[in-house]
Amino acid sequence: MRWKCICSYKGTDFDGWQFQPTGNGVQNHLESALSSIFDQPIRIHGCSRTDAGVHAHGQCFHFDGDWSHSTDKLKRALHSLLDKAIRIEKITSVSENFHARFSAIKKSYVYTIYLDRAPPTEEAFVWSCRDTPINFQSMQMASQHFFGKQDFTAFSAVHAKDKDPDPVKEIHSLELKQRGPKITVTITGSGFLYKMVRSIVGTLYAVGRNRLTSEDVLHILHSKKRTNKIVTAPASGLSLKKIFYK
């Protein structure tokens, strides 16, 4: 039997999603709990690898295992073993043809910038920036350059361990909203290169601070080369929002 699971987690205390030798990847914790419940080694397959400090609202993974009880009972069993920073949102039975990674058609991330020192309750989930003027309209204008199918090499980390062989990705939507000191950037696309979302956010922030122009962004994008003008936004403000399937 194959099971599709949606989980959320606070990434602050973990070494990223992927299985780690330290034993502190989110995947480590989930596999340990499932293996204990099923009384046999269980391997899970996740959709997206989030870095250390990155959070998730809707991470998806699948695993195979025979379970004759209700999915609610499996959720309760998992929650009794998992760290409180990990929550199972939903478990459903799926076809053996389903794959959490390869069946996905697009992904959505949300990044939160806080233009001041953030409240302690929010600090772990935002990028706290200085309380200085920001040109939000310029950020919105520059964001238009990222739409569509393009080569995003310039916005990928240079030293990616698992480099994506295809730098061409399609951005379906990129929405910026500001409410008081808080700016949210929601981006949905076919896929993302290593640290691509955080690089885009760092670039838009630089535009808002008048360190880059909208024309600079377009030039960097077309150059297909990483430059030190691109600053990667911190992991704390990023959350994997949702994975879309057919």
Side-chain angles (χ1 to χ4, degrees), residues 111-159:
Y111 195 98
T112 305
I113 299 170
Y114 201 97
L115 301 175
D116 196 350
R117 181 170 180 171
T121 53
E122 297 188 53
E123 180 65 35
F125 304 99
V126 303
W127 177 15
S128 288
C129 301
R130 291 178 299 169
D131 183 19
T132 53
I134 193 163
N135 192 328
F136 183 69
Q137 187 176 7
S138 292
M139 293 176 69
Q140 289 181 308
M141 289 178 60
S143 72
Q144 302 302 305
H145 296 312
F146 296 108
F147 284 100
K149 184 178 288 187
Q150 304 185 68
D151 186 321
F152 284 94
T153 299
F155 293 87
S156 174
V158 176
H159 303 295

Side-chain angles (χ1 to χ4, degrees), residues 6 9 17 45-51 54-61 98-111 147 162 164 166 168-175 185-197 200 238-246:
I6 305 297
Y9 48 86
W17 162 265
H45 302 272
C47 177
S48 189
R49 298 177 179 179
T50 54
D51 293 331
V54 175
H55 318 289
H57 299 297
Q59 172 70 279
C60 180
F61 67 91
F98 174 84
H99 193 286
R101 179 183 176 188
F102 300 118
S103 298
I105 56 173
K106 58 183 179 179
K107 305 173 186 178
S108 183
Y109 287 85
V110 61
Y111 195 98
F147 284 100
D162 301 301
D164 191 328
D166 184 8
V168 176
K169 306 297 177 187
E170 183 175 7
I171 300 301
H172 301 293
S173 65
L174 201 170
E175 183 180 40
V185 182
T186 304
I187 181 169
T188 302
S190 62
F192 297 92
L193 299 173
Y194 185 53
K195 295 188 178 180
M196 176 176 154
V197 175
I200 288 175
L238 183 62
S239 294
L240 173 60
K241 183 178 180 182
K242 185 177 180 180
I243 311 294
F244 296 84
Y245 296 94
K246 291 181 180 179

Side-chain angles (χ1 to χ4, degrees), residues 7 12-13 22 33 76 113 155 192 199 204 207 215 217 225:
C7 71
T12 309
D13 301 327
T22 61
R76 289 195 297 272
I113 299 170
F155 293 87
F192 297 92
S199 296
L204 293 176
V207 171
E215 291 73 21
V217 174
K225 293 181 180 180

